[in-house]
Amino acid sequence: MVTAGVAAANGSGGADTTAAFKEIYSKLKVEMLEDPAFEFTDESLQWIDRMVDYNVLGGKCNRGISVIDSYKILKGVDVLSKEETFLACTLGWCIEWLQAYFLVLDDIMDSSQTRRGQPCWFRVPQVGLIAVNDGIILRNHISRILQRHFKGKPYYVDLIDLFNEVEFKTASGQLLDLITTHEGEKDLSKYNLTIHRRIVQYKTAYYSFYLPVACALLLAGENLDNFVDVKTILVEMGTYFQVQDDYLDCFGDPEFIGKIGTDIEDYKCSWLVVQALDRADEDQKRILFENYGKSDPACVAKVKDLYKELNLEEVFHEYERESYTKLIADIEAQPNKAVQTVLKSFLHKIYKRDK
């Protein structure tokens, strides 16, 4: 259940950045198809070509593009050299490849039907559980790309460590999510703010918010050990983003956000349900226990009515105000002005968003 919706938050990258970014994808894909480490057959080449296009493309690419945007800010330039652009775009694509790997496996675990407006990869005829191996191949492509373009750079090992650490955190967050929201044993008493926060931080915030900025910092020659506070701020921002997502799932306008929210029906460990559990009296808790996780529209309506009764819209707006105030204060406490600018650019893209 990795959240694709986070894409809206990151990079805006003007048309030129986006065009440069898209161009480099083709070069990286060709390299993967010509990798001398394996003797490809025509059939396997066609498979990988189609599989990579199907899964890596199709998103908004905002995680990837925000590597370039952040790198420009850190360097204090509007235009990067050809080599700098190539390296920043390549790291951006590594993040998009990582996202593709997570989503391919994620959709199998969730028995999902569609992703980005098309059938999930494993639902495509003739694919099925070959998609598991495809996910593994996508993950290995990242290592191949990093080795080809960054081996010999002073920060190569740091990049490898960064991707490994973020992958481990994300997979562990996914595990926590899966065992907490286990289909077979629906138990709302497992849901609380601590669990919600931990799932969100590990499953979404590290790879969606911290990873693009960490890549840009390494490109700029910085040591990540000097930016622990920046990591904390970005993870906090990712948490705030997911709380917004949970709120919009229930209270957003489906016409505007482009999807109909199903967190209640899907028994998600949503910020709204943990807030409701925290505030409800025994009668209200009984309504939640009896109706949460059911697809019957009458049950969903009862849960939404309870959310309104508990004034969760106002609770959210208060949370939003407090989060923003704290994030701005933490950002302005950063000694590096360029880093402040990067962090503020992320925050202003997501603050008070409505889709």
Side-chain angles (χ1 to χ4, degrees), residues 257-271:
I257 59 176
K259 62 179 181 182
I260 295 165
T262 56
D263 282 2
I264 295 170
E265 294 93 319
D266 296 343
Y267 202 70
K268 292 275 174 68
C269 183
S270 151
W271 184 83

Side-chain angles (χ1 to χ4, degrees), residues 214-239:
C215 284
L217 284 165
L218 288 174
L219 279 173
E222 298 288 359
N223 179 341
L224 293 181
D225 292 341
N226 299 334
F227 294 90
V228 176
D229 289 352
V230 171
K231 181 195 269 194
T232 306
I233 290 166
L234 285 160
V235 170
E236 213 39 67
M237 229 182 273
T239 306

Side-chain angles (χ1 to χ4, degrees), residues 201-221:
Q201 280 184 351
Y202 287 98
K203 206 182 79 167
T204 303
Y206 278 99
Y207 92 94
S208 297
F209 283 79
Y210 173 61
L211 182 57
V213 176
C215 284
L217 284 165
L218 288 174
L219 279 173

